[in-house]
Structure formats: C-alpha cells, structure tokens
Amino acid sequence: MNEELPQYEIVLLGIGHTNAHVLRMWRMNPLPGTRLTCVSNFGAATYSGMLPGTLAGLYQPDEMRIDLVRLCSAAGARLILDEVTGLDTGQQELHFASRPPMPFDALSIGVGSRPMEVPGDDKRVLPIKPMQTFLTRLDKRFSQLFGEQSDSPKKVVVVGAGAGGFEIISCLDRHLQRAYPSRDFELSLLDRGNEVLSSMPTRTQSLARRHLRGRGIEVLLDLQITQIDRRGRIQLSGGDELDCDLVIWATSARAPGVLDNFDLPKDNHGFLLTKPTLQSVGASSVFAVGDCGTVEAEAVPKAGVHAVRQGPVLWENLRLYLNRDSLREWRPQQSFLTLLNTGDERAILTYKGFSVHAGWCWRLKDWIDRRFMAKYQDYQPRMSSIMSPSPPDEAMHCGGCGSKVPANILSRVLSEIENVESGRVVLGLNEPDDVAVIEHASSAQTAVTTDFFTAFVDDPFLLGQVAAENALSDLYASASEPQAALAMVTVPHGPALRQEQFLREVLEGALQALRPAGVPIVGGHTIAGAQATVGFTLLGDSDPQRRTRKAGLRVGDQLVLTKPLGTGILLAAHSQALCEADWWEAVVASMLQTNRETSRTAQEVGVQAMTDVTGFGLAGHLCEMLVASGVSAEISLESLPVLPGAEDLVEQGIESTLAPGNREIEQRIRAADAVRRFSKYQLLFDPQTSGGILIGGAKEQLASLMEQLSDSAKVIGQVCEALGEGPVLRVH
C-alpha cells in the first residue's frame, strides 16, 4: 500500500501488448510521484499468439496467460476489475458501471478489437473474443453438441480466412483429434474474399491451401453470409444455404463497443484516430494503442507486431507528457516476420516475400512466443517504492486534531454522495452537527459495534465495501437490525484533490453495502495519516427476545459455517504477488457477500447461537462460543469450506501476520499430530476479513436453514458435553 496519495495518475484501460509493456517497465522503474492504475474486465490477459497452439495442445492454458492480479501486485500498480461505460475528456475521468468515476492525468486505451457483427441469430455462433474465455466456451459448445441425439458428423465452420481464422481451424483439427477421438467432424473455412490469407504473398497462400487440403479441411471462398438461423443454417448472398452445427467467428476486426461511448474522433471502422505520438487527435491526455487506435494517414493493418513495437514509444511518451516535454512519434515498420501455427508442430514463415512451411519455423515461433511471455510472467515483487520521497523542505504532518482532513474536502464529498434516507435520523449528514441523533425504537435495545482495519489493497472503493460489510456482520451475528453508521477513515497524505477522491470512493463503496440494508451514514471522523484505515461504528436495534449470542450453544447442536475460510492467507499472498487471478476474484466475491440474509433466515428458524468469523479465525471464535456456553465441540477438517488457493498457499508457507497469535488458542484444541499437519488445520487460525457466520442450532433447525443458504455454507461439526477438562475443540 502507498503511504502517500500520488501527484499524477496514469490509467491503462485494457492490458494488451502495448499497455502490458508499460506495466512491465513500471515494475522496473516507476515514475516518481505517480500511480499506475490498470483497468480490465478480466483478472488475466490471454496472449493471442499462443491461443492457437494452446488449442492444439502444444501449450498448457497457463502458458498463454498473463495473471494481471499478480503482475500488478508485483509492479506496485493497482488493478480495477470493472466494466467501463464512458469517458469525460473535459474532466479527464473514466466512468464505470458500478463505481465512481476515476480521474486521470494520462489515459492509454488498449482494448483491442472484436470480430465483425454476426448477421442474424447467434446461438450457433462462437466468437473467438474474448480470448480469455474462448477455450472454455468452445468445450462447453462441443459438450452441448454431443448431448444431441444425432450421431452424424458434426459440421464446424470457421468464418474468416485471415491469419486468425487460418490458425484457429488448423489447430482446431488437432484439438478435435485429441479431445474427441471417437467423434467425426467436418471442418470448413469460409470467407467472403477470393483467397486464404489474402493480405499475404502468393507463396504463403499456396502453402496455406496445401496444408488445409492435406488435412481434409474444405475451403469456401467468395461467399457472403447474409443470415445465420438458430437451426445452424447459413444463408449465403447467392441464395445458397450451408448447414452447420457450430460457427466459429474469426472475421476481420472492428472497433470494440466500449469505444462507441467515447466522444473522440474515429476512423470509418470506429477505431480511435491518433497522431503519430499515439495521442488521440481529440484529447492530448488520451492515448490509443494497438488495434483500437488508427494513426492518421497511416495505412497500417491491425497486427500484434505493431502493438508490441508501440510499447516503448508509449512508455516514453507517458513520461514526457507528464513532464510537459515534446513527445516521440511512432513509425510502423514496413515489413515484419509472420509465423502461422499449423497445429502439427510446424509453422508457415513469411518474411520479405520468402515463405516456407517447416518444423524449424514452429520451433522459432515457439522460442519467440515463450521469450515474449517470460517478460510478463515474472511476478517477483519489485523492491523500490512507487512514490518519490517527500521533498526535504516539506512541512511535517501534524498530529492530534491538526491531522483532520480539511473541512472543505469533507463538505464537498458529503454533499456529493447519495446517502441512504431514514426516518429514524433526527440529526445526520443532511444537517451536520457535532453529534448524530437517532430516534430510538421503544420496543428495542440499542446494539453498538465498531470495526476497522488498515488498507489491504490500493482501491478505496473496494475498501469501503468490505469495511462496511465487515462491520455490519457483528450486528447480523447478534440478530440485530442495523440503523445507522459512523465512518472512521484515515486518508493518506497527498494532494487535496486526491484526498477528496479517496474519501469519496471509500464512502461510495461503503454505501454499496449499506444502501441495501437501509443504513445511512450519519457522521464519523476523518483524519490524514501515514496509512489508510477504514472502518465503521454501527448502531442497531436489538430485540432481547430474538437476540442471538455466543453463549447460546447446547449439547447436540450442529455447527454451520456460511462462508469459506482463507481470506487472511489470500490477502497476505496478494501483498507478495502470489495470489492468482482466479483466487483473487473468489476472495473478493466472498468478502463482498453479505451476511444479512443468513441472519434473517437463522432468526426465522429459531437459532439461538451465532457469531461472525473474523480476525481471530474459526478456531478462536468457535472457542469463544464454547467457553461462553460451557460446552465442547468436534469438527471435521474435511467438511470445512475453503477458498480456492488457500491450501496451496499453506503448503508454500504463506500466512497472515496474525495467524501465529491466533494459534495460542491451541491449548483448547485436541487433535492428533497427523491431523495438525493438514493444510486445513492451519486455516483454523487464519484471520478472516468479512468472513462468514458460525451458527449453532438443533439439527431440525439447521436442515431448514441449509436449504436457504448458499452452496458455500457447510455443516462442519457438532456440540458435545464438556468433560472434566472443560470446554475444548476436538478436530479430526
């Protein structure tokens, strides 16, 4: 985590070849006083050059994958996973589907391209993009095809006879032979043009045709598709029809839909027009690179090699732009090497009119691709800091009340957030005062809880969401109804505009969790400090007739845990660039999963004992319940729900800094030495952030409860009588 907010913000939208180079260079030499933010729809990027080879079984899927979660963590950059919906070049803000706008000083757009639009019904059509999901979607479609009654050969048509379509159908042939050896397929390559690889030399075209003919792949040219119906019938412009079971769409590139929302000059195909410096002709702070940009007056084909060569120019120009210096111009090379994978450990090489199809060409392509990927699959964290040191003459930051966030920042943020309306609030943020006043419910007692933590990720919006859910869980675990929240935020030192943005994002994120619960923010306190912290004090109504407690366990009760374990170890791994993208997405989803409905359902079935599992881990919080109730319990490690990657990380020796302290509870644990060596045993002491609810209740109650909970909820054990040694936890 950064200790100070940045002076400048560089945002990379899409992490293709060009923007990935910037991220890699950032890891080696970040710009002083600047933060790099990467924005993507996916936690991983797929290298298009290795996708066909992976399809053919020449690579494992992970070999073509750049883990953006790990790479950004290693580089000291932050990663935002969300859908972008718009761009305000005047305010220099990027707009999102589910979070506040993000300001930038420089923005580089590298969102690639997509195939041409599919005419007609697309239920039989499988576009190759997004590439991150192509292989999964392909195998799912084949599974659906094999579930149909007909045993006749499956007809697969690849539309688009350019380089992408040629490689896909060549490697698809190999994939089908390996994956489905007992099935019959008929493969066709279709294009509206009059030649395969029409932009390449005649010799290359001849080699490609010979290869396809030798593999029994039909080539259909000069055919324009006018319609595809849901039965898989392709209507052609001449009136002919072609039946198929699956259409793989690999046509020439068009602009991604997100660019339609950007009010910037575009070419005839919807791509962003740029100067030779790669800056948009409509906004100097915006750069467009790779396929999504078109340099004015340059007839350059959309090719990965150009995107790669733009990387060093973009990296240099971002630095020059922030320094207000003159920018470099990118000039595309006139000729370049192409290597097309034919799926049989051979490739077609083309360079300056020379073409050859041979095994050594594949080995060359394999060496180039692996060398390229090695640059982006090095996740070793860098040692240097993103931020430059504070200038020697900068005044020291005050403590005490002098550390408060300035009133003008606070008032602007509070006036802009969309707070929750509540009839119970007498005095709140609508009429700010020194105290908030809440109308008391005459039939209830007041429940109060406080929870806060230091920042675990450089994303204030996510921090606000998780902190609010984490604090709400204490009330939900006691069957109390939250009514109002007081925010406690430490805003890192930095420029006033960045502090204002940080605070706004924290509160907007918190309201994502508080709004569904009908809980307004009625006050709080904000200070400026060296490290970001976020938390909330929650006020709620507690009905003594319905309230659940830690002391409510009874002998014979079953124990249910509603969320998987592992947030502590995964967050620790993330700080070391060891948390993989799939793991990260799972742990974030778990932390954002509310415990509200779990609490209400538990109340409906009459549960008496609950607690939320947070910092002291499952073992610590369960033992608190056992001591308070005067009972013992036994749990099964096999039944424990665990987040993806958590056990792998235990095996690597990763753990949260709080885990050793949590192990002091082992004096109350009874387990065989063999059991203590299991990975899941270590996760008993893993501190949870926004963890699940631990519920104890009669078997009949919990049977009804389990029918209504999510699949992640598991029965993990049962309560038994405490013998002479007192309350203990037996683990087997």
Side-chain angles (χ1 to χ4, degrees):
M1 288 297 304
N2 299 329
E3 295 182 354
E4 290 196 12
L5 296 173
Q7 184 72 31
Y8 301 109
E9 185 89 55
I10 295 175
V11 176
L12 306 180
L13 173 56
I15 314 299
H17 297 336
T18 315
N19 282 347
H21 178 82
V22 172
L23 181 55
R24 174 173 171 261
M25 297 305 294
W26 190 271
R27 177 172 170 270
M28 295 188 286
N29 187 26
L31 302 182
T34 306
R35 177 168 59 193
L36 181 67
T37 297
C38 300
V39 178
S40 176
N41 289 342
F42 298 95
T46 296
Y47 174 41
S48 58
M50 293 175 77
L51 175 62
T54 305
L55 178 62
L58 301 172
Y59 301 109
Q60 294 300 311
D62 282 350
E63 292 183 277
M64 68 165 181
R65 188 172 182 257
I66 300 172
D67 191 316
L68 298 180
V69 172
R70 294 189 65 189
L71 186 57
C72 287
S73 179
R78 67 173 178 170
L79 176 63
I80 303 298
L81 299 177
D82 201 353
E83 178 187 356
V84 170
T85 58
L87 171 66
D88 185 334
T89 55
Q91 295 295 318
Q92 294 190 186
E93 288 182 340
L94 202 58
H95 292 181
F96 294 87
S98 58
R99 59 182 295 133
M102 178 181 295
F104 61 84
D105 295 284
L107 168 68
S108 175
I109 304 172
V111 292
S113 61
R114 57 176 170 163
M116 299 298 289
E117 188 172 355
V118 177
D121 190 276
D122 63 355
K123 290 183 174 59
R124 293 273 180 173
V125 180
L126 186 74
I128 62 172
K129 293 187 177 182
M131 291 184 184
Q132 289 92 335
T133 63
F134 174 69
L135 297 180
T136 302
R137 290 183 287 118
L138 179 67
D139 283 332
K140 182 178 179 180
R141 289 294 183 94
F142 279 128
S143 296
Q144 293 170 346
L145 287 178
F146 297 148
E148 299 175 0
Q149 295 293 327
S150 174
D151 291 329
S152 59
K154 302 302 180 185
K155 298 179 180 180
V156 181
V157 177
V158 175
V159 179
F166 172 76
E167 284 194 297
I168 287 294
I169 200 164
S170 296
C171 294
L172 177 63
D173 182 32
R174 176 76 171 264
H175 174 74
L176 296 176
Q177 289 178 12
R178 289 186 314 103
Y180 312 102
S182 61
R183 301 283 184 169
D184 293 327
F185 297 88
E186 294 177 2
L187 302 183
S188 302
L189 182 63
L190 186 150
D191 198 278
R192 64 185 178 183
N194 60 8
E195 188 52 82
V196 177
L197 304 175
S198 58
S199 64
M200 294 193 175
T202 303
R203 168 66 175 165
T204 303
Q205 296 169 356
S206 176
L207 291 173
R209 275 183 167 274
R210 184 189 306 170
H211 168 73
L212 296 172
R213 187 166 53 249
R215 302 292 284 269
I217 298 172
E218 183 182 23
V219 178
L220 305 170
L221 300 174
D222 287 318
L223 296 175
Q224 176 72 44
I225 297 176
T226 59
Q227 190 82 4
I228 300 175
D229 65 30
R230 66 180 57 197
R231 293 173 297 173
R233 188 170 298 158
I234 301 175
Q235 307 287 338
L236 302 171
S237 55
D240 293 334
E241 293 183 349
L242 181 66
D243 289 331
C244 68
D245 295 290
L246 176 63
V247 177
I248 296 178
W249 205 254
T251 58
S252 56
R254 68 180 175 121
V258 67
L259 299 186
D260 296 339
N261 302 323
F262 295 174
D263 187 18
L264 290 170
K266 303 176 180 73
D267 67 10
N268 295 332
H269 301 287
F271 297 106
L272 300 178
L273 279 174
T274 73
K275 306 171 186 176
T277 58
L278 306 178
Q279 292 169 290
S280 166
V281 298
S284 61
S285 62
V286 178
F287 296 75
V289 296
D291 283 359
C292 75
T294 299
V295 178
E296 279 188 311
E298 289 278 8
V300 179
K302 302 297 181 184
V305 65
H306 293 310
V308 172
R309 297 294 180 89
Q310 286 178 347
V313 176
L314 174 65
W315 169 241
E316 181 67 10
N317 280 353
L318 289 171
R319 183 187 66 80
L320 293 171
Y321 177 77
L322 294 182
N323 289 338
R324 305 294 188 264
D325 291 334
S326 298
L327 275 57
R328 286 177 52 190
E329 292 188 354
W330 172 72
R331 297 298 179 188
Q333 62 271 41
Q334 297 303 308
S335 61
F336 50 84
L337 174 72
T338 63
L339 288 157
L340 302 178
N341 190 345
T342 54
D344 53 0
E345 299 191 29
R346 296 189 299 161
I348 298 176
L349 177 149
T350 302
Y351 186 65
K352 293 186 176 180
F354 171 75
S355 301
V356 62
H357 187 195
W360 68 265
C361 301
W362 153 250
R363 291 189 292 275
L364 175 61
K365 175 177 174 55
D366 178 58
W367 178 80
I368 292 173
D369 286 343
R370 289 184 184 276
R371 185 167 173 261
F372 176 80
M373 287 298 287
K375 299 176 182 178
Y376 302 99
Q377 292 179 329
D378 179 0
Y379 305 123
Q380 184 69 27
R382 63 175 177 79
M383 300 302 295
S384 58
S385 171
I386 283 184
M387 298 300 175
S388 60
S390 300
D393 58 348
E394 184 175 302
M396 292 183 64
H397 298 292
C398 292
C401 287
S403 66
K404 294 177 69 171
V405 170
N408 60 337
I409 292 179
L410 185 60
S411 61
R412 279 197 300 268
V413 170
L414 296 181
S415 67
E416 293 171 2
I417 63 172
E418 186 179 344
N419 204 356
V420 178
E421 295 293 331
S422 172
R424 296 277 298 277
V425 178
V426 179
L427 284 179
L429 296 186
N430 290 337
E431 299 180 62
D433 210 313
D434 288 343
V435 296
V437 179
I438 312 297
E439 189 77 41
H440 194 271
S442 58
S443 62
Q445 298 171 346
T446 299
V448 183
T449 184
T450 296
D451 217 324
F452 66 99
F453 48 65
T454 55
F456 58 84
V457 68
D458 194 8
D459 181 359
F461 185 74
L462 177 59
L463 289 174
Q465 285 181 286
V466 175
E469 287 291 4
N470 190 63
L472 285 166
S473 285
D474 277 330
L475 291 185
Y476 293 145
S478 67
S480 301
E481 192 66 27
Q483 297 298 333
L486 299 165
M488 301 171 292
V489 183
T490 303
V491 180
H493 298 297
L497 287 177
R498 303 295 182 199
Q499 289 187 313
E500 184 176 330
Q501 179 69 17
F502 179 95
L503 183 57
R504 181 185 297 111
E505 290 189 25
V506 166
L507 297 183
E508 290 283 6
L511 286 167
Q512 289 281 99
L514 297 173
R515 194 173 288 115
V519 178
I521 298 175
V522 296
H525 195 70
T526 55
I527 63 170
Q531 186 174 18
T533 61
V534 181
F536 294 89
T537 294
L538 269 295
L539 307 175
D541 293 338
S542 181
D543 183 346
Q545 302 303 315
R546 299 171 61 90
R547 184 162 56 234
T548 55
R549 299 182 60 192
K550 295 178 181 179
L553 292 178
R554 295 165 295 189
V555 173
D557 281 353
Q558 288 187 326
L559 297 171
V560 168
L561 180 62
T562 64
K563 284 190 188 183
L565 302 174
T567 59
I569 195 169
L570 286 160
L571 294 180
H574 183 60
S575 68
Q576 302 172 54
L578 293 172
C579 183
E580 297 180 8
D582 294 342
W583 303 350
W584 179 249
E585 292 176 22
V587 72
V588 170
S590 180
M591 290 189 295
L592 295 181
Q593 179 184 335
T594 182
N595 288 321
R596 183 175 68 256
E597 295 308 318
T598 296
S599 174
R600 290 178 177 176
T601 305
Q603 293 175 56
E604 291 171 3
V605 300
V607 166
Q608 296 296 311
M610 291 197 296
T611 190
D612 62 333
V613 180
T614 53
F616 299 147
L618 175 60
H621 289 288
L622 177 51
C623 284
E624 286 180 338
M625 295 183 78
L626 299 180
V627 171
S629 305
V631 295
S632 293
E634 58 181 29
I635 63 172
S636 166
L637 290 182
E638 185 178 350
S639 65
L640 292 181
V642 172
L643 285 164
E647 291 186 80
D648 294 333
L649 292 168
V650 170
E651 297 298 326
Q652 296 178 42
I654 308 300
E655 67 175 4
S656 167
T657 54
L658 185 55
N662 285 349
R663 284 198 189 90
E664 292 184 8
I665 201 66
E666 281 192 285
Q667 61 183 322
R668 289 197 177 273
I669 295 179
R670 304 295 180 262
D673 290 343
V675 171
R676 296 175 188 269
R677 289 194 287 270
F678 285 115
S679 299
K680 281 190 174 181
Y681 179 82
Q682 303 305 323
L683 292 174
L684 293 174
F685 313 103
D686 187 54
Q688 304 303 289
T689 298
S690 189
I693 301 289
L694 179 60
I695 303 172
K699 185 175 182 180
E700 302 76 30
Q701 292 176 317
L702 296 190
S704 174
L705 178 67
M706 292 296 288
E707 291 178 358
Q708 303 178 60
L709 297 182
S710 67
D711 292 340
S712 61
K714 302 294 180 185
V715 176
I716 64 170
Q718 62 185 12
V719 179
C720 52
E721 187 177 353
L723 301 178
E725 59 183 341
V728 295
L729 174 60
R730 295 183 176 87
V731 181
H732 57 83

